Amino acid sequence: RLLFLDGALLAIADSDAEFHESLVHPGMFAHPSPKNVAILGGGDGATLREVLRHRSVEKVTMIEKDAKLVELARVHLPKMCNCSEIVGSTEVCFDDARVELVYQQPKDYFALNNLTDIDFLVLDGTVPETDREVPEHWFNDKKFVDAMIDSLSENGVLATQVGTAPTILDPRADLSVFRHRERFINSLEANPKIKSIFIYEEAHCGFYEPKAFLVACRDVTCRRHWYAETDEIDYAIYDRIGGLKDGKPSLVHYDGATQRSFQAPPRAWETVYCRREPEPFECAYRGLDKNAELFEFDPENEEESSFEIRMSKNKETGEEEVGVYAKVDMPEGSYLMPTHLAASFEVSDDSMENVHANTQIEGVDKATVIEDFIDFIDTHGHPSIQEGSGKNYVEVGGSFMMRISEDPEEANVRRWIPSHPDGGRPKFSPVYDRHRHSFDVFLVASRDIKAGEEVVKPVGLWDI
C-alpha cells in the first residue's frame, strides 16, 4: 500500500522499514542515551515504531496536525504502526504508555510550549521540490527552525528526510528545485547552537530515486558516535534495542555496515556543495593535486629514496638526534612521504583510555611493550582535525622521525589542507566528510626544500 499526503507519495508499506530505519536510527545512535523524543508529523506511525525500539526512551511526544491520518493508519496501514513484537510496547504504537499524541500544527505547538529538553527531534513530513515559493513549509521558516533547535537538550539531535538525493549534474542548490532544502541547511548552519551537520542517502526506500536524510547535533561530540566503527554500532543496537519478543532481530535494514555507508556522502553532495558562491574553502582540496610531485622515503633502496636519515647535534643541547634530510630539491606543495603517511593507523580515544586503564590494574605485571606502545602514540600521534570525532592518527613511517621546531622560519612542512579561514572545520561540509582521513594524514612542503636541507615540522602542526 502507498500513502499519499497532499498529492505527494509519503510512504510505501512494503519498503517502509528501509526508509524509517534510515530516518530514525542514525540520529538516535548519534545521541548517547535519548530519553525524551519528539516527532513532528509521522501520522502513519512508522517513525514512532522505530523510536520505541530504543529502550532508553522514556517519553515520546508526537505532534501531528491531522488526526484523520492517524486513524487511517490504524485501519489501513496496521503494519506501519504495529509495535506488538517490541518488548515493553503495545499492539498499536500509538497506544504505548510512553506516547503522547498532540493534534496540532507543529509551529503552534512550539510557539505555545517553551521546550528545552528534547534529546531527539525527528521531522517526518513531505519535502517541497519545486521552483515556486512555499513559505509555509518549515524548511523556509528560519524562526521555526531556530525554535526547534532551542527545544533540544545540550547534546540533542535533530533528524529529518530532505527529499530526493542530488546528482552531479544538478545546478547550484539555491537555484534549483532543491532551494527549500538549501535554505533549511543554511538556517542550521547559521544557528550557533548547531555544531555538526551530516547528510546521507539511502537508495532502498522503494522510491524511483534515492532519498536523502540529514542529522544535526548541538554537541560536536556526536561526531564520535556518527563515525563509530561497524562493530560499535552493531553492539549499540544489541545493547539498546535488542531483539523482538520472538527472538528475531529488531532491525531489518540498519546496522553497523549501513551506518558506515552513511559516513561519507556520495560525490554529488560534494559537487553541488562546491557550486555555492563563493566557493567554500575546502573545495580546492577535493583530490590530491595531480600536478604536484610526490617524494617517497624508501629505507631499503637508498638510491631511489628522496630522503635520508642522519644523526646530528642539537644546537641547544648538544645531544645527538635523528633528523630527516632531503636528497633532492622538493618544490613547495610537493607531497612528502605519502605512502608512509597513508599507512598511519587510527586509534580512538576510547581505545587509548582502555589501554591506559589496563596498565594501572593492581596485581598485573607491567607489560613494557604496551607502555612503550602508549608512549609511541603519545609522541607520534595527533587528534583528528575533525573536532569531537574521538579519532587519533599515528605516523608509523619515516615522517615520525622529522624533527619538530618551535621556530616557524625553520619549519618547511605543513599539513595538506591548511587550517580553515574560519577556524576548525565547517559544521556542514560534504568535502570534509568525504576526505576526512586524507585531511588527517597527508603532509606537503610549505616552501621549496633544497637538497641537503633538513625536513622540519612546526609545533602545533595538527592543531585545530
Short mmCIF file of all heavy atoms in Angstrom, two decimals, residues 36-89:
data_model
loop_
_atom_site.label_atom_id
_atom_site.label_comp_id
_atom_site.label_asym_id
_atom_site.label_seq_id
_atom_site.Cartn_x
_atom_site.Cartn_y
_atom_site.Cartn_z
N ASN A 36 14.00 11.64 25.94
CA ASN A 36 12.84 12.45 25.58
C ASN A 36 12.86 12.73 24.09
O ASN A 36 13.76 13.38 23.58
CB ASN A 36 12.88 13.77 26.38
CG ASN A 36 11.62 14.60 26.17
OD1 ASN A 36 10.62 14.12 25.64
ND2 ASN A 36 11.68 15.86 26.58
N VAL A 37 11.86 12.21 23.37
CA VAL A 37 11.82 12.29 21.91
C VAL A 37 10.57 13.03 21.47
O VAL A 37 9.50 12.89 22.07
CB VAL A 37 11.85 10.88 21.28
CG1 VAL A 37 11.74 10.96 19.76
CG2 VAL A 37 13.11 10.14 21.69
N ALA A 38 10.70 13.82 20.40
CA ALA A 38 9.55 14.47 19.79
C ALA A 38 9.53 14.16 18.29
O ALA A 38 10.58 14.14 17.65
CB ALA A 38 9.59 15.98 20.01
N ILE A 39 8.34 13.88 17.78
CA ILE A 39 8.15 13.60 16.35
C ILE A 39 7.21 14.64 15.78
O ILE A 39 6.11 14.84 16.31
CB ILE A 39 7.56 12.19 16.13
CG1 ILE A 39 8.46 11.12 16.74
CG2 ILE A 39 7.34 11.92 14.65
CD1 ILE A 39 7.84 9.73 16.75
N LEU A 40 7.62 15.33 14.73
CA LEU A 40 6.76 16.28 14.04
C LEU A 40 6.23 15.60 12.78
O LEU A 40 7.00 15.24 11.89
CB LEU A 40 7.55 17.54 13.66
CG LEU A 40 7.63 18.64 14.74
CD1 LEU A 40 8.28 18.10 16.00
CD2 LEU A 40 8.42 19.84 14.22
N GLY A 41 4.92 15.40 12.74
CA GLY A 41 4.32 14.64 11.65
C GLY A 41 4.35 13.16 12.00
O GLY A 41 4.17 12.77 13.15
N GLY A 42 4.56 12.32 10.99
CA GLY A 42 4.66 10.89 11.25
C GLY A 42 3.35 10.21 11.57
O GLY A 42 3.32 9.23 12.33
N GLY A 43 2.26 10.70 10.97
CA GLY A 43 0.94 10.17 11.30
C GLY A 43 0.74 8.71 10.95
O GLY A 43 -0.18 8.07 11.46
N ASP A 44 1.59 8.13 10.07
CA ASP A 44 1.44 6.72 9.73
C ASP A 44 1.96 5.80 10.83
O ASP A 44 1.69 4.60 10.82
CB ASP A 44 2.14 6.39 8.41
CG ASP A 44 3.61 6.81 8.41
OD1 ASP A 44 4.32 6.52 9.38
OD2 ASP A 44 4.05 7.42 7.41
N GLY A 45 2.72 6.33 11.78
CA GLY A 45 3.17 5.55 12.94
C GLY A 45 4.49 4.84 12.78
O GLY A 45 5.02 4.29 13.75
N ALA A 46 5.06 4.82 11.58
CA ALA A 46 6.28 4.05 11.36
C ALA A 46 7.50 4.69 12.05
O ALA A 46 8.35 3.98 12.59
CB ALA A 46 6.54 3.89 9.87
N THR A 47 7.58 6.01 12.03
CA THR A 47 8.68 6.69 12.73
C THR A 47 8.57 6.44 14.23
O THR A 47 9.56 6.15 14.92
CB THR A 47 8.67 8.20 12.43
OG1 THR A 47 8.95 8.39 11.05
CG2 THR A 47 9.70 8.93 13.27
N LEU A 48 7.36 6.52 14.75
CA LEU A 48 7.12 6.23 16.17
C LEU A 48 7.53 4.81 16.50
O LEU A 48 8.17 4.55 17.54
CB LEU A 48 5.63 6.45 16.48
CG LEU A 48 5.18 6.10 17.89
CD1 LEU A 48 5.89 6.95 18.93
CD2 LEU A 48 3.66 6.25 18.01
N ARG A 49 7.20 3.87 15.64
CA ARG A 49 7.58 2.47 15.86
C ARG A 49 9.09 2.32 16.01
O ARG A 49 9.56 1.63 16.93
CB ARG A 49 7.09 1.64 14.66
CG ARG A 49 7.42 0.15 14.72
CD ARG A 49 7.20 -0.49 13.36
NE ARG A 49 8.18 -0.02 12.37
CZ ARG A 49 7.91 0.14 11.08
NH1 ARG A 49 6.70 -0.11 10.60
NH2 ARG A 49 8.86 0.56 10.24
N GLU A 50 9.85 2.97 15.14
CA GLU A 50 11.30 2.84 15.21
C GLU A 50 11.87 3.50 16.46
O GLU A 50 12.81 3.00 17.08
CB GLU A 50 11.95 3.43 13.95
CG GLU A 50 11.58 2.71 12.67
CD GLU A 50 11.85 1.22 12.74
OE1 GLU A 50 12.91 0.82 13.25
OE2 GLU A 50 10.97 0.44 12.27
N VAL A 51 11.29 4.63 16.86
CA VAL A 51 11.74 5.31 18.08
C VAL A 51 11.51 4.43 19.30
O VAL A 51 12.38 4.33 20.19
CB VAL A 51 11.01 6.67 18.23
CG1 VAL A 51 11.18 7.22 19.65
CG2 VAL A 51 11.52 7.68 17.21
N LEU A 52 10.36 3.77 19.37
CA LEU A 52 10.00 2.97 20.54
C LEU A 52 10.86 1.71 20.68
O LEU A 52 10.83 1.06 21.72
CB LEU A 52 8.52 2.59 20.48
CG LEU A 52 7.54 3.76 20.68
CD1 LEU A 52 6.10 3.29 20.43
CD2 LEU A 52 7.68 4.36 22.07
N ARG A 53 11.64 1.37 19.68
CA ARG A 53 12.53 0.22 19.80
C ARG A 53 13.67 0.51 20.78
O ARG A 53 14.26 -0.43 21.33
CB ARG A 53 13.12 -0.13 18.42
CG ARG A 53 12.11 -0.60 17.39
CD ARG A 53 12.83 -1.12 16.15
NE ARG A 53 11.92 -1.32 15.04
CZ ARG A 53 11.13 -2.38 14.87
NH1 ARG A 53 11.14 -3.35 15.79
NH2 ARG A 53 10.35 -2.50 13.81
N HIS A 54 13.99 1.76 20.99
CA HIS A 54 15.11 2.13 21.86
C HIS A 54 14.68 2.08 23.32
O HIS A 54 13.80 2.83 23.75
CB HIS A 54 15.62 3.53 21.51
CG HIS A 54 16.32 3.60 20.19
ND1 HIS A 54 17.68 3.77 20.07
CD2 HIS A 54 15.84 3.50 18.92
CE1 HIS A 54 18.01 3.79 18.79
NE2 HIS A 54 16.91 3.63 18.06
N ARG A 55 15.32 1.21 24.09
CA ARG A 55 14.94 1.02 25.49
C ARG A 55 15.22 2.25 26.34
O ARG A 55 14.68 2.37 27.44
CB ARG A 55 15.67 -0.20 26.06
CG ARG A 55 15.18 -1.53 25.49
CD ARG A 55 15.72 -2.71 26.27
NE ARG A 55 17.12 -2.97 25.98
CZ ARG A 55 17.56 -4.03 25.31
NH1 ARG A 55 16.68 -4.89 24.81
NH2 ARG A 55 18.84 -4.22 25.09
N SER A 56 16.07 3.14 25.86
CA SER A 56 16.38 4.35 26.63
C SER A 56 15.23 5.35 26.63
O SER A 56 15.15 6.22 27.51
CB SER A 56 17.63 5.03 26.07
OG SER A 56 17.41 5.47 24.73
N VAL A 57 14.32 5.22 25.67
CA VAL A 57 13.24 6.21 25.50
C VAL A 57 12.22 6.11 26.63
O VAL A 57 11.69 5.03 26.91
CB VAL A 57 12.55 6.03 24.14
CG1 VAL A 57 11.31 6.91 24.04
CG2 VAL A 57 13.52 6.34 23.01
N GLU A 58 11.97 7.25 27.27
CA GLU A 58 11.01 7.33 28.36
C GLU A 58 9.74 8.07 27.97
O GLU A 58 8.67 7.83 28.53
CB GLU A 58 11.64 8.02 29.58
CG GLU A 58 12.84 7.27 30.14
CD GLU A 58 13.55 8.03 31.24
OE1 GLU A 58 13.15 9.20 31.52
OE2 GLU A 58 14.50 7.49 31.83
N LYS A 59 9.86 9.00 27.02
CA LYS A 59 8.70 9.80 26.62
C LYS A 59 8.81 10.16 25.14
O LYS A 59 9.88 10.52 24.67
CB LYS A 59 8.63 11.09 27.45
CG LYS A 59 7.48 12.01 27.07
CD LYS A 59 7.54 13.31 27.87
CE LYS A 59 6.42 14.26 27.44
NZ LYS A 59 6.49 15.55 28.17
N VAL A 60 7.69 10.03 24.42
CA VAL A 60 7.63 10.44 23.01
C VAL A 60 6.42 11.34 22.83
O VAL A 60 5.28 10.94 23.13
CB VAL A 60 7.50 9.24 22.05
CG1 VAL A 60 7.55 9.74 20.61
CG2 VAL A 60 8.57 8.21 22.31
N THR A 61 6.65 12.55 22.37
CA THR A 61 5.57 13.48 22.05
C THR A 61 5.47 13.54 20.53
O THR A 61 6.41 13.95 19.85
CB THR A 61 5.85 14.89 22.60
OG1 THR A 61 6.11 14.80 24.00
CG2 THR A 61 4.65 15.80 22.36
N MET A 62 4.33 13.11 20.02
CA MET A 62 4.11 13.10 18.57
C MET A 62 3.13 14.21 18.21
O MET A 62 1.97 14.18 18.63
CB MET A 62 3.58 11.74 18.12
CG MET A 62 3.40 11.63 16.62
SD MET A 62 2.94 9.95 16.15
CE MET A 62 1.92 10.32 14.71
N ILE A 63 3.61 15.22 17.48
CA ILE A 63 2.79 16.37 17.11
C ILE A 63 2.37 16.20 15.67
O ILE A 63 3.17 16.37 14.74
CB ILE A 63 3.56 17.70 17.31
CG1 ILE A 63 4.08 17.80 18.74
CG2 ILE A 63 2.67 18.88 16.99
CD1 ILE A 63 5.56 17.63 18.88
N GLU A 64 1.12 15.86 15.47
CA GLU A 64 0.57 15.58 14.13
C GLU A 64 -0.67 16.45 13.93
O GLU A 64 -1.59 16.43 14.75
CB GLU A 64 0.21 14.10 14.02
CG GLU A 64 -0.60 13.70 12.80
CD GLU A 64 0.07 14.07 11.49
OE1 GLU A 64 1.15 13.53 11.20
OE2 GLU A 64 -0.50 14.92 10.77
N LYS A 65 -0.68 17.23 12.85
CA LYS A 65 -1.78 18.17 12.62
C LYS A 65 -3.06 17.47 12.19
O LYS A 65 -4.16 18.03 12.32
CB LYS A 65 -1.37 19.21 11.58
CG LYS A 65 -1.15 18.64 10.19
CD LYS A 65 -0.75 19.72 9.20
CE LYS A 65 -0.54 19.14 7.80
NZ LYS A 65 -0.16 20.19 6.81
N ASP A 66 -2.95 16.23 11.69
CA ASP A 66 -4.10 15.57 11.06
C ASP A 66 -4.47 14.30 11.82
O ASP A 66 -3.86 13.24 11.63
CB ASP A 66 -3.75 15.25 9.61
CG ASP A 66 -4.96 14.81 8.80
OD1 ASP A 66 -6.02 14.58 9.40
OD2 ASP A 66 -4.83 14.70 7.56
N ALA A 67 -5.50 14.40 12.66
CA ALA A 67 -5.95 13.23 13.43
C ALA A 67 -6.49 12.14 12.51
O ALA A 67 -6.37 10.94 12.81
CB ALA A 67 -7.03 13.64 14.44
N LYS A 68 -7.04 12.54 11.36
CA LYS A 68 -7.59 11.55 10.43
C LYS A 68 -6.48 10.64 9.88
O LYS A 68 -6.72 9.46 9.60
CB LYS A 68 -8.30 12.26 9.28
CG LYS A 68 -9.59 12.94 9.69
CD LYS A 68 -10.28 13.57 8.48
CE LYS A 68 -11.60 14.24 8.88
NZ LYS A 68 -12.28 14.87 7.72
N LEU A 69 -5.27 11.17 9.73
CA LEU A 69 -4.17 10.38 9.22
C LEU A 69 -3.81 9.26 10.19
O LEU A 69 -3.53 8.12 9.78
CB LEU A 69 -2.94 11.27 8.96
CG LEU A 69 -1.69 10.59 8.42
CD1 LEU A 69 -1.99 9.85 7.12
CD2 LEU A 69 -0.58 11.62 8.18
N VAL A 70 -3.84 9.57 11.47
CA VAL A 70 -3.55 8.55 12.49
C VAL A 70 -4.61 7.46 12.46
O VAL A 70 -4.29 6.25 12.52
CB VAL A 70 -3.45 9.19 13.89
CG1 VAL A 70 -3.30 8.11 14.97
CG2 VAL A 70 -2.28 10.17 13.95
N GLU A 71 -5.88 7.85 12.37
CA GLU A 71 -6.96 6.86 12.32
C GLU A 71 -6.87 6.02 11.05
O GLU A 71 -7.14 4.82 11.06
CB GLU A 71 -8.32 7.57 12.41
CG GLU A 71 -8.58 8.21 13.76
CD GLU A 71 -8.37 7.24 14.91
OE1 GLU A 71 -8.93 6.12 14.86
OE2 GLU A 71 -7.64 7.60 15.86
N LEU A 72 -6.50 6.66 9.93
CA LEU A 72 -6.33 5.94 8.68
C LEU A 72 -5.23 4.88 8.82
O LEU A 72 -5.37 3.75 8.34
CB LEU A 72 -5.99 6.93 7.57
CG LEU A 72 -5.77 6.39 6.15
CD1 LEU A 72 -6.20 7.43 5.11
CD2 LEU A 72 -4.31 6.02 5.90
N ALA A 73 -4.15 5.25 9.49
CA ALA A 73 -3.05 4.31 9.68
C ALA A 73 -3.48 3.13 10.53
O ALA A 73 -3.10 1.98 10.26
CB ALA A 73 -1.87 5.03 10.33
N ARG A 74 -4.27 3.37 11.55
CA ARG A 74 -4.74 2.28 12.41
C ARG A 74 -5.53 1.24 11.61
O ARG A 74 -5.39 0.03 11.82
CB ARG A 74 -5.65 2.84 13.52
CG ARG A 74 -4.94 3.57 14.65
CD ARG A 74 -5.96 4.06 15.65
NE ARG A 74 -5.38 4.79 16.76
CZ ARG A 74 -4.97 4.24 17.90
NH1 ARG A 74 -5.08 2.93 18.06
NH2 ARG A 74 -4.47 4.99 18.87
N VAL A 75 -6.32 1.73 10.65
CA VAL A 75 -7.21 0.84 9.91
C VAL A 75 -6.54 0.26 8.66
O VAL A 75 -6.61 -0.95 8.40
CB VAL A 75 -8.50 1.59 9.51
CG1 VAL A 75 -9.41 0.68 8.66
CG2 VAL A 75 -9.24 2.07 10.75
N HIS A 76 -5.88 1.12 7.89
CA HIS A 76 -5.41 0.71 6.57
C HIS A 76 -3.90 0.44 6.48
O HIS A 76 -3.44 -0.15 5.51
CB HIS A 76 -5.80 1.77 5.54
CG HIS A 76 -7.27 1.97 5.40
ND1 HIS A 76 -8.09 1.04 4.80
CD2 HIS A 76 -8.08 2.99 5.83
CE1 HIS A 76 -9.35 1.47 4.82
NE2 HIS A 76 -9.37 2.65 5.45
N LEU A 77 -3.14 0.90 7.48
CA LEU A 77 -1.68 0.69 7.47
C LEU A 77 -1.24 0.07 8.80
O LEU A 77 -0.33 0.58 9.46
CB LEU A 77 -0.95 2.01 7.22
CG LEU A 77 -1.24 2.71 5.89
CD1 LEU A 77 -0.68 4.13 5.91
CD2 LEU A 77 -0.66 1.92 4.72
N PRO A 78 -1.88 -1.02 9.20
CA PRO A 78 -1.57 -1.60 10.53
C PRO A 78 -0.12 -2.05 10.67
O PRO A 78 0.44 -2.02 11.76
CB PRO A 78 -2.54 -2.77 10.62
CG PRO A 78 -2.87 -3.14 9.20
CD PRO A 78 -2.88 -1.83 8.47
N LYS A 79 0.51 -2.46 9.56
CA LYS A 79 1.90 -2.91 9.64
C LYS A 79 2.83 -1.77 10.05
O LYS A 79 3.80 -1.97 10.79
CB LYS A 79 2.33 -3.46 8.27
CG LYS A 79 3.81 -3.83 8.18
CD LYS A 79 4.21 -4.17 6.75
CE LYS A 79 5.71 -4.32 6.61
NZ LYS A 79 6.13 -4.52 5.20
N MET A 80 2.53 -0.55 9.58
CA MET A 80 3.42 0.57 9.83
C MET A 80 3.36 1.05 11.28
O MET A 80 4.33 1.62 11.79
CB MET A 80 3.12 1.72 8.87
CG MET A 80 3.36 1.34 7.40
SD MET A 80 3.05 2.67 6.23
CE MET A 80 4.42 3.75 6.56
N CYS A 81 2.25 0.83 11.95
CA CYS A 81 2.12 1.28 13.35
C CYS A 81 2.00 0.08 14.30
O CYS A 81 1.44 0.18 15.39
CB CYS A 81 0.95 2.23 13.52
SG CYS A 81 -0.65 1.59 12.97
N ASN A 82 2.56 -1.05 13.88
CA ASN A 82 2.49 -2.28 14.67
C ASN A 82 3.70 -2.39 15.62
O ASN A 82 4.83 -2.50 15.18
CB ASN A 82 2.44 -3.49 13.73
CG ASN A 82 2.38 -4.80 14.49
OD1 ASN A 82 2.16 -4.83 15.70
ND2 ASN A 82 2.57 -5.90 13.78
N CYS A 83 3.45 -2.34 16.90
CA CYS A 83 4.51 -2.47 17.91
C CYS A 83 4.34 -3.74 18.74
O CYS A 83 4.94 -3.88 19.82
CB CYS A 83 4.51 -1.26 18.83
SG CYS A 83 5.24 0.23 18.10
N SER A 84 3.55 -4.69 18.25
CA SER A 84 3.21 -5.87 19.04
C SER A 84 4.42 -6.75 19.35
O SER A 84 4.43 -7.47 20.35
CB SER A 84 2.14 -6.70 18.32
OG SER A 84 2.62 -7.16 17.05
N GLU A 85 5.44 -6.72 18.49
CA GLU A 85 6.62 -7.56 18.70
C GLU A 85 7.74 -6.85 19.47
O GLU A 85 8.77 -7.45 19.76
CB GLU A 85 7.15 -8.06 17.35
CG GLU A 85 6.26 -9.09 16.68
CD GLU A 85 6.10 -10.34 17.52
OE1 GLU A 85 7.10 -10.85 18.03
OE2 GLU A 85 4.96 -10.79 17.69
N ILE A 86 7.54 -5.55 19.79
CA ILE A 86 8.57 -4.80 20.51
C ILE A 86 8.40 -5.05 22.01
O ILE A 86 7.32 -4.84 22.57
CB ILE A 86 8.47 -3.30 20.21
CG1 ILE A 86 8.70 -3.04 18.72
CG2 ILE A 86 9.48 -2.50 21.04
CD1 ILE A 86 8.52 -1.59 18.29
N VAL A 87 9.45 -5.50 22.64
CA VAL A 87 9.40 -5.80 24.07
C VAL A 87 9.05 -4.54 24.85
O VAL A 87 9.68 -3.49 24.68
CB VAL A 87 10.75 -6.35 24.56
CG1 VAL A 87 10.72 -6.59 26.07
CG2 VAL A 87 11.10 -7.64 23.81
N GLY A 88 8.01 -4.62 25.68
CA GLY A 88 7.61 -3.49 26.52
C GLY A 88 6.65 -2.53 25.87
O GLY A 88 6.27 -1.54 26.51
N SER A 89 6.22 -2.78 24.63
CA SER A 89 5.30 -1.87 23.95
C SER A 89 3.92 -2.50 23.86
O SER A 89 3.62 -3.50 24.53
CB SER A 89 5.84 -1.51 22.57
OG SER A 89 5.09 -0.45 22.00
#
